Amino acid sequence: HPYIYKITFATANESSALVIRPFSEKGTLKDLIYKAKPKDPFLKKYCNPKKIQGLELQQIKTYGRQILEVLKFLHEKGFPYGHLHSANVMLDGDICKLLDLENSLLGLPSFYRSYFSQFRKIN
């Protein structure tokens, strides 16, 4: 799918997994929002609230449509994706591509599990 970021190499055994992707100079959607460089340390990139900027309306429309299209594609294929957040959306030019699709295959809990597990009626 054009909105899924490619994997260069992947391997797994009974105790671990390794996934390697190409490095992106533009970084993730989170990097764009925080005006951060992908190679900078985490605390330098994301712990300065003064650097945060919003996205332009056209960017929101474009990125939102692309993310919804890939989520629809995954849903139609019966593939769960519970790790959607701005750091898992890679920017490739003006195109958003999802990362970490393998998390559900590896049995990792959803990023939002702690939020919705507090509701008793949701299983």
Side-chain angles (χ1 to χ4, degrees), residues 26-90:
K26 281 194 94 170
T28 64
L29 185 57
K30 185 172 186 171
D31 292 331
L32 177 64
I33 292 168
Y34 280 79
K35 294 186 197 173
K37 295 177 183 162
K39 289 186 177 182
D40 286 344
F42 182 88
L43 292 177
K44 182 179 179 188
K45 290 196 305 186
Y46 305 130
C47 292
N48 185 356
K50 293 179 183 178
K51 288 177 63 176
I52 298 172
Q53 73 176 21
L55 299 175
E56 308 252 339
L57 181 59
Q58 187 56 44
Q59 288 176 306
I60 294 169
K61 288 178 181 180
T62 302
Y63 298 158
R65 181 187 54 81
Q66 293 169 355
I67 292 167
L68 289 172
E69 281 185 28
V70 71
L71 289 175
K72 181 179 181 232
F73 170 80
L74 293 171
H75 181 74
E76 288 171 352
K77 302 295 181 203
F79 193 90
Y81 185 75
H83 295 268
L84 181 61
H85 53 87
S86 60
N88 274 350
V89 178
M90 186 67 74

Side-chain angles (χ1 to χ4, degrees), residues 4-5 7 10 17-21 79-81 83 88 98-108:
I4 295 175
Y5 203 64
I7 293 174
L18 171 68
V19 177
I20 298 174
R21 293 180 182 84
F79 193 90
Y81 185 75
H83 295 268
N88 274 350
L98 289 188
L99 298 168
D100 292 347
L101 273 70
E102 66 280 355
N103 287 351
S104 61
L105 296 174
L106 296 172
L108 296 172

